[in-house]
Amino acid sequence: MGIEVLNNCIGCSKCVGSCPFEAISMSNKKAVIDLTKCTLCGACVQVCPVKAIVISREMVKRDLSAYRDVWVFVEFADDADIKKQGEIKKVSFELLSKGRFLADKLNQKLCAVVLTDKNRDYEKILSEYGADRVYLLENDEYLPYDTDIYSASIMSLINKYKPSIFLFGATYKGRDLAPRMAANLYVGLTADCTDLNINNDGLLVQSRPAFGGNIMADILSPNSRPQMATVRPNVMKIVKVLPKAVEVIKEDIRIDKNIRRVKVVQRHKEEEKGYTKIENADIIVSGGRGLKSKEKFEILNELAKLLNASVGASRAAVDSGFIDKKHQVGQSGTTVRPRLYLAFGISGAVQHLVGMKNSDVIVAINKDPNAMIFSVSKYAIIGDAHDIAKKLIEKIKSAKAVA
Amino acid sequence: MNIFVCIKQVPDTTEVKINPETGTLIRAGVPSILNPYDHFAVVNALKIKKSNPDAVVNVISMGPPQAKAVIQMALALGCDNGYLLSDAAFAGSDTWATAYALSSAIKKIGKYDIIICGMQAIDGDTAQVGPQIASQLNIPQVTFADNVEIENKKALIKRHIDDGYDTIESPLPVLVTMVMPKDYELPFPSFVNITKALSKPFFTYTADDIMAKKEYLGLKGSPTQVNRIYPPQREVKTTVINTTSVEAVDKIIEILKQENFIK
């Protein structure tokens, strides 16, 4: 890889201010790049009005041994107020837990990458999920999220510290940011992984479903670093560790406001309607087309209320108009990992199974003894889904009345 | 104004079946369709053209020669020019190499004000090609949008976020990836328009035509490698309960207690 200033440079010096590492100066009205300081982050390429700065991405034999450690991008919940950062998202803890496993296998460090307006003791909670080190980038420009600002900052961090593995949540933000950087760095990126491991060569094995969940594929990125992956939320198990000393490395990365190109004019939040969203639910009571009608499906609402659960649905049930799409579990809906998944009248199309098979306990009720859902269930109950749901409600109610 | 729409021909994954004995995909007889998200991207591009009559909508795809079918479909829906990138050199490209080919082609074809992609293809589900094209062209990107309009040479975009959406304003050129609004019914072209589309401009390009370097294409140019393909595993020990519904309910209560979900 290399960086070059072409002859069409007009000497506007916009790039000088954009460089986080003060690697650019002007000489004879042309930009000159100090290669000892340049990290190839690309911030200058973005601000150049005449495209006079070019980073070439030759697939030269890179010195891969210089790349060490497992990094996790720490994601924060969006907030109604775009000036205030929300809580750390659960997916970040899931990534750290899996990252800890990978780092131990490699005998390397697990590092959390935090971009924030202001640190709020984040290192404490991150260390509870296994982080050895936190790279802390503080700047008001990190709110609201901006693809260009985040990618320029993180790429310069990557170029400086050279991680071997870099994990992102397969969320709106992660799926926006990771491909932007992977394209720029010319490194491999695997989308929406459902499992990660280290093979005998020390490479990251990235497993993901394809063809609507009908097959699984193991993907390697053998010749580029970092090996980047986005990981589906609610798939990896959260493992807390005993908190230990955590190293905080503050990086002062200069940000040129001009690289923010898109503007958030307004943020619209949907009001919570008093129920837990399925992706966060502890218990999910879910229904499929086997419940036959919208009226019969609605019995699940009552059961969910009694069990303090959320209501899920198969794609067939959503397509039949039994319930709104935001309750849909599966490849084209939400992936869930509750402690209990109660499936009523769900046949178990592959695309549904991909989205719920990691639930801790699955209890399925279906009148077809060959229903696919039973293949992932701990308890397979053969019977009429609606009838059993109805009787279950009565039973729980009478038990509560006694108590 | 020049609009590009990137589309892909995909197998209809809802029709894909698994051979229960071998655990492999049965692809025979599975229809090929225009990726639904790309289909929606085409619809949105045509909506922009309606309010900007000078706009030209170019539709571009990379794939085998038979992928011409989805380009013809987009032309029949109202797009102006069709481009198919088809060359053995493209075979085996991962998202990086695909984005490289598409961005090279877009640069070669000419000026672009807005590039619209489906959020992801239903066969690969990566959602990476759109942002990777934007990155390689060095233009801003707005992902997971369900509406784009152009006003006063700016793009107004409705982008999904957790629990809601953002209204975004972006300068041109910009790349936008699209999700479909709930319950959206995709339009299909009329027979008359399908016939008319046959005489619209259509070009097939090779790697040389778009001045793409072969070392960045195909398997060789792809930083990711597929190491192994296998059927999804299921390793759960299942207890089957086949009794009357009253006994089944008792059993469920017992399970809920045993697993500590109720007291």
Side-chain angles (χ1 to χ4, degrees), chain B residues 29-135:
Chain B
V30 176
S32 287
I33 56 169
L34 170 57
N35 178 42
Y37 297 105
D38 303 344
H39 193 154
F40 182 65
V42 167
V43 171
N44 212 297
L46 294 171
K47 200 188 71 188
I48 294 172
K49 183 183 163 82
K50 218 171 189 179
S51 45
N52 298 268
D54 68 316
V56 176
V57 181
N58 303 296
V59 57
I60 182 167
S61 185
M62 184 174 109
Q66 57 269 30
K68 185 180 178 181
V70 292
I71 295 179
Q72 289 298 342
M73 162 113 163
L75 295 174
L77 284 164
C79 297
D80 298 299
N81 304 306
Y83 299 91
L84 176 64
L85 313 184
S86 203
D87 190 325
F90 299 133
S93 292
D94 74 353
T95 63
W96 195 97
T98 302
Y100 172 70
L102 288 167
S103 57
S104 301
I106 290 168
K107 271 193 270 191
K108 180 70 182 32
I109 294 164
K111 259 183 59 71
Y112 47 90
D113 297 294
I114 181 162
I115 301 169
I116 309 179
C117 303
M119 144 185 120
Q120 62 190 30
I122 58 168
D123 55 348
D125 290 323
T126 72
Q128 287 176 186
V129 173
Q132 292 189 318
I133 293 172
S135 182

Side-chain angles (χ1 to χ4, degrees), chain B:
Chain B
M1 180 173 15
N2 275 296
I3 304 173
F4 278 83
V5 188
C6 302
I7 66 172
K8 187 182 182 187
Q9 186 181 47
V10 294
D12 187 347
T13 53
T14 57
E15 300 289 323
V16 173
K17 297 276 182 317
I18 296 277
N19 179 336
E21 269 145 44
T22 58
T24 51
L25 282 180
I26 305 170
R27 295 177 77 163
V30 176
S32 287
I33 56 169
L34 170 57
N35 178 42
Y37 297 105
D38 303 344
H39 193 154
F40 182 65
V42 167
V43 171
N44 212 297
L46 294 171
K47 200 188 71 188
I48 294 172
K49 183 183 163 82
K50 218 171 189 179
S51 45
N52 298 268
D54 68 316
V56 176
V57 181
N58 303 296
V59 57
I60 182 167
S61 185
M62 184 174 109
Q66 57 269 30
K68 185 180 178 181
V70 292
I71 295 179
Q72 289 298 342
M73 162 113 163
L75 295 174
L77 284 164
C79 297
D80 298 299
N81 304 306
Y83 299 91
L84 176 64
L85 313 184
S86 203
D87 190 325
F90 299 133
S93 292
D94 74 353
T95 63
W96 195 97
T98 302
Y100 172 70
L102 288 167
S103 57
S104 301
I106 290 168
K107 271 193 270 191
K108 180 70 182 32
I109 294 164
K111 259 183 59 71
Y112 47 90
D113 297 294
I114 181 162
I115 301 169
I116 309 179
C117 303
M119 144 185 120
Q120 62 190 30
I122 58 168
D123 55 348
D125 290 323
T126 72
Q128 287 176 186
V129 173
Q132 292 189 318
I133 293 172
S135 182
Q136 294 184 5
L137 293 173
N138 230 308
I139 61 174
Q141 70 190 43
V142 179
T143 51
F144 309 108
D146 73 18
N147 189 41
V148 189
E149 286 162 32
I150 309 274
E151 269 174 36
N152 303 323
K153 302 203 165 154
K154 274 186 182 153
L156 291 175
I157 301 156
K158 185 180 161 199
R159 168 179 75 182
H160 285 227
I161 54 166
D162 298 328
D163 309 322
Y165 63 93
D166 280 341
T167 306
I168 301 273
E169 191 183 283
S170 170
L172 303 180
V174 63
L175 182 142
V176 182
T177 78
M178 309 224 55
V179 296
M180 246 179 295
K182 204 173 61 191
D183 304 328
Y184 187 83
E185 292 267 347
L186 290 164
F188 284 84
S190 66
F191 183 74
V192 175
N193 286 337
I194 291 171
T195 315
K196 272 191 195 162
L198 295 173
S199 54
K200 286 192 176 180
F202 173 83
F203 309 89
T204 303
Y205 285 163
T206 62
D208 289 336
D209 293 334
I210 58 171
M211 300 198 300
K213 291 186 185 164
K214 294 225 168 88
E215 62 265 36
Y216 296 154
L217 294 170
L219 278 179
K220 201 169 58 172
S222 298
T224 62
Q225 293 176 4
V226 178
N227 190 44
R228 191 166 74 101
I229 299 269
Y230 51 97
Q233 290 157 352
R234 329 194 186 287
E235 20 180 85
V236 186
K237 255 199 182 162
T238 307
T239 308
V240 178
I241 298 152
N242 192 358
T243 55
T244 66
S245 60
V246 175
E247 284 167 320
V249 166
D250 288 339
K251 186 69 195 170
I252 295 173
I253 298 274
E254 193 188 310
I255 295 164
L256 294 180
K257 283 184 180 161
Q258 186 185 319
E259 308 270 357
N260 281 322
F261 294 113
I262 54 175
K263 281 180 196 125

Side-chain angles (χ1 to χ4, degrees), chain A residues 322-337:
Chain A
F322 294 175
I323 192 165
D324 190 271
K325 168 118 177 115
K326 65 174 168 259
H327 295 270
Q328 185 176 321
V329 171
Q331 179 82 1
S332 49
T334 307
T335 300
V336 297
R337 187 181 189 148

